[in-house]
């Protein structure tokens, strides 16, 4: 059993702690949150202790690994502390909002052999991974285009947006990673366009966008289009389309169930899509822990690595440069 401590007992940390607790090959060793009542609540509901400090978690011999689900600005520090303490890491995205900080973190942890996995949960989604496996098996011939639709159900509160670090680093980072995962090669060119269409005040007050489109191209010419919105009233819209020389593959949206209504004005009406990431990627989050246990116990390579986290952030920076200067940007223009 891999003894995992969960750091951060907020929105996603609570889910991770519960997933670790019910995972057949993992054990929830303890939880920690700087806001003690949050940790106490999770600790009590799952029957584990709440650590007094992060240092206490890293120093505890009963902890093999940590799952970092704290606020983004703490991730890089906690990765460094975990590696120094010899604990394997599963860290939520993004590593940091600042590329220089990610580069410094990479330098500090050096060529560690201790496993570090990034929380790019979409790589573990059964539909997305089946689509990729079929594509790699040659089902659609040569891959030409990847189309990623990624729309959140509702725009988050203003306080969240103020701290999130911008749509591209906070939200699109998942799509940049998925693009790389599906394309199988590095995008070398990026064009980005964004606007505050849902809440125009966002643009004026936070210099933030809530709707965006991206075009990416790899050195061999493969194309990718990413489409983001912070508000899709019909639910969490998560689709991936792979277009090849010999066909197309779609990994589609999920509904809570398959009931459909038929009436005089419309037919085949069903429920909105699953609301958000906790529901839509439920299986993916569990599979992510499965993959992490394999990394630590069997030496498997993480499906989403620290370097994947760094490269996705580089694409986000290239996209910001493109939007700002209204031009196609070479990814090599981004200096790490
Ligand atoms: N993979 C995904 O789809 C996904 C979805 C949501 C969030 N996330 C990521 O997960 C992280 C947490 O997001 P959230 O939505 O759960 O946020 P949240 O604000 O709900 O929870 C964050 C928790 O971290 C705690 N915290 C802050 N600083 C800390 C510190 N120094 N030590 C210990 N605890 C600390 C806070 O008290 C809070 O309880 C973010 O980095 C976010 O980007 C990933």
């Amino acid at each position: 059993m891999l003894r995992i401590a969960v750091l951060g007992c907020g929105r996603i940390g609570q889910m991770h702690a519960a997933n670790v607790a019910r995972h057949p090959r993992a054990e929830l060793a303890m939880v920690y949150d700087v806001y003690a009542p949050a940790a106490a609540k999770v600790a009590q509901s799952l029957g584990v202790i709440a650590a007094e400090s992060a240092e206490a978690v890293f120093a505890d011999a009963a902890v093999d690994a940590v799952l970092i689900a704290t606020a983004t600005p703490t991730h890089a520090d906690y990765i460094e502390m975990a590696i120094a303490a010899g604990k394997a890491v599963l860290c939520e995205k993004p590593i940091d909002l600042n590329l220089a900080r990610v580069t410094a973190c990479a330098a500090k942890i050096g060529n560690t052999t201790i496993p570090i996995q990034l929380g790019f949960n979409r790589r573990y989604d059964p539909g997305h991974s089946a689509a990729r496996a079929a594509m790699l098996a040659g089902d659609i011939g040569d891959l030409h285009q990847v189309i990623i639709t990624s729309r959140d159900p509702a725009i988050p509160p203003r306080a969240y947006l103020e701290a999130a670090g911008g749509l591209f680093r906070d939200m699109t980072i998942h799509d940049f990673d998925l693009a790389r995962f599906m394309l199988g090669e590095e995008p070398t060119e990026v064009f980005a366009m964004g606007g505050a269409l849902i809440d125009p005040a966002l643009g004026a007050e936070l210099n933030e966008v809530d709707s965006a489109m991206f075009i990416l191209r790899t050195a061999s010419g493969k194309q990718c289009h990413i489409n983001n919105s912070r508000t899709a009233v019909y639910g969490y819209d998560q689709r991936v389309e792979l277009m090849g020389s010999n066909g197309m593959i779609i990994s589609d949206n999920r509904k809570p169930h398959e009931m459909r209504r038929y009436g005089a004005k419309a037919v085949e009406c069903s429920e909105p899509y699953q609301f958000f990431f906790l529901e839509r990627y439920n299986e993916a989050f569990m599979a992510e822990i499965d993959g992490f246990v394999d990394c630590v116990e069997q030496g498997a390579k993480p499906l989403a690595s620290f370097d994947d986290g760094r490269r996705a952030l580089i694409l986000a920076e290239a996209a910001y440069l493109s939007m700002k200067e209204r031009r196609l940007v070479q990814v090599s223009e981004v200096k790490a």
Side-chain angles (χ1 to χ4, degrees), residues 113-164:
T113 52
I114 300 168
I116 305 178
Q117 182 176 314
L118 247 282
F120 284 133
N121 52 287
R122 295 180 196 182
R123 290 189 178 219
Y124 298 86
D125 176 68
H128 296 355
S129 52
R132 180 171 179 265
M135 179 263 292
L136 291 176
D139 287 11
I140 56 167
D142 296 329
L143 180 69
H144 291 163
Q145 295 178 321
V146 174
I147 294 143
I148 298 173
T149 300
S150 177
R151 301 176 181 142
D152 283 358
I155 195 158
R158 182 59 72 96
Y160 176 93
L161 294 171
E162 281 169 3

Side-chain angles (χ1 to χ4, degrees), residues 7-13 16 32-35 38 54 68-72 74-75 78 92-94 119-122 160 170 174 236 277 281 285 288:
L7 303 178
C9 298
R11 199 167 52 138
I12 206 162
H16 280 311
Y32 171 66
D33 195 295
V34 73
Y35 179 57
I68 302 170
T70 47
T72 298
T74 65
H75 293 181
Y78 280 159
E92 263 306 338
K93 50 51 69 176
F120 284 133
N121 52 287
R122 295 180 196 182
Y160 176 93
D170 174 54
H174 276 297
Y236 196 33
F277 59 92
Y281 288 119
F285 284 119
E288 179 176 84

